[in-house]
Amino acid sequence: MTTATAKERTYSYEGLFLFPQSALADMQGAVDHIKEILHRAHAQLIALKKWDERRLAYEIKGNKRGLYFLAYFTAPASRMVGIERDCNLSEKMLRALITRADDLTADQMQAADGQAALADEIKLRRESPSAIPAKPAEDQRDALADDMEDGAEDVDISDL
């Protein structure tokens, strides 16, 4: 038996991180929070982008809408417990889902990187928060869906 430890296995992962809609006001803080969690676990970030902002299927901690970030990273397998623990204990993050991404190549993960676009959006939101256009069609769909939940007449939202 040797005293030298074997090199630990590192895998590729895909993480979907959900923040409350209020994180739109401080997107840089949300991005930094994700990066800090990954940094503490000695994970190497490959790609990060804002995935979407959408209405949640059910309320989570009083939030009806959420902001999703998609990240691809590599990390030692033993560090995943720490990443998941940090996500669960986070007061800023609502939920996180992390899965192995062995089916994706490094090039595919890097192609999904949207950090430049994310930085541009953060800068634009800081300079002029009212300059970001709202998504009226999505808001209209959400209002109709809310009406449907409240017992309104049947409405076909596919026509919107």
Side-chain angles (χ1 to χ4, degrees):
M1 190 170 179
T2 63
T3 57
T5 59
K7 185 174 178 179
E8 188 173 5
R9 294 282 308 193
T10 299
Y11 296 102
S12 298
Y13 296 93
E14 175 181 75
L16 190 61
F17 302 95
L18 173 62
F19 286 83
Q21 185 180 18
S22 60
L24 281 170
D26 184 24
M27 283 179 48
Q28 186 63 53
V31 168
D32 291 343
H33 188 62
I34 293 168
K35 288 181 177 180
E36 175 61 28
I37 288 172
L38 296 177
H39 176 74
R40 277 195 301 249
H42 304 286
Q44 179 185 0
L45 184 65
I46 296 171
L48 175 68
K49 71 176 184 176
K50 175 185 162 192
W51 184 62
D52 203 2
E53 176 200 347
R54 53 177 57 200
R55 185 171 177 269
L56 302 174
Y58 55 90
E59 216 173 275
I60 301 174
K61 296 181 184 176
N63 294 281
K64 292 183 178 185
R65 295 187 66 80
L67 178 62
Y68 291 87
F69 290 94
L70 179 66
Y72 291 101
F73 59 94
T74 59
S78 65
R79 299 293 182 139
M80 288 310 299
V81 172
I83 292 173
E84 290 174 350
R85 183 194 66 240
D86 287 348
C87 290
N88 289 334
L89 293 175
S90 172
E91 293 181 5
K92 296 179 183 179
M93 192 181 306
L94 297 176
R95 296 276 194 276
L97 176 66
I98 301 172
T99 59
R100 290 258 304 264
D102 295 334
D103 58 321
L104 298 174
T105 66
D107 290 337
Q108 288 172 319
M109 287 188 256
Q110 288 173 345
D113 193 22
Q115 291 188 66
L118 185 58
D120 291 343
E121 183 175 349
I122 290 169
K123 182 180 175 186
L124 184 61
R125 285 185 184 276
R126 279 190 188 145
E127 291 173 358
S128 177
S130 62
I132 306 297
K135 296 180 185 176
E138 182 178 327
D139 293 339
Q140 198 175 28
R141 265 188 252 120
D142 289 344
L144 283 172
D146 288 340
D147 288 342
M148 289 173 62
E149 288 175 2
D150 295 336
E153 301 247 346
D154 288 337
V155 177
D156 184 12
I157 62 173
S158 64
D159 293 334
L160 294 177

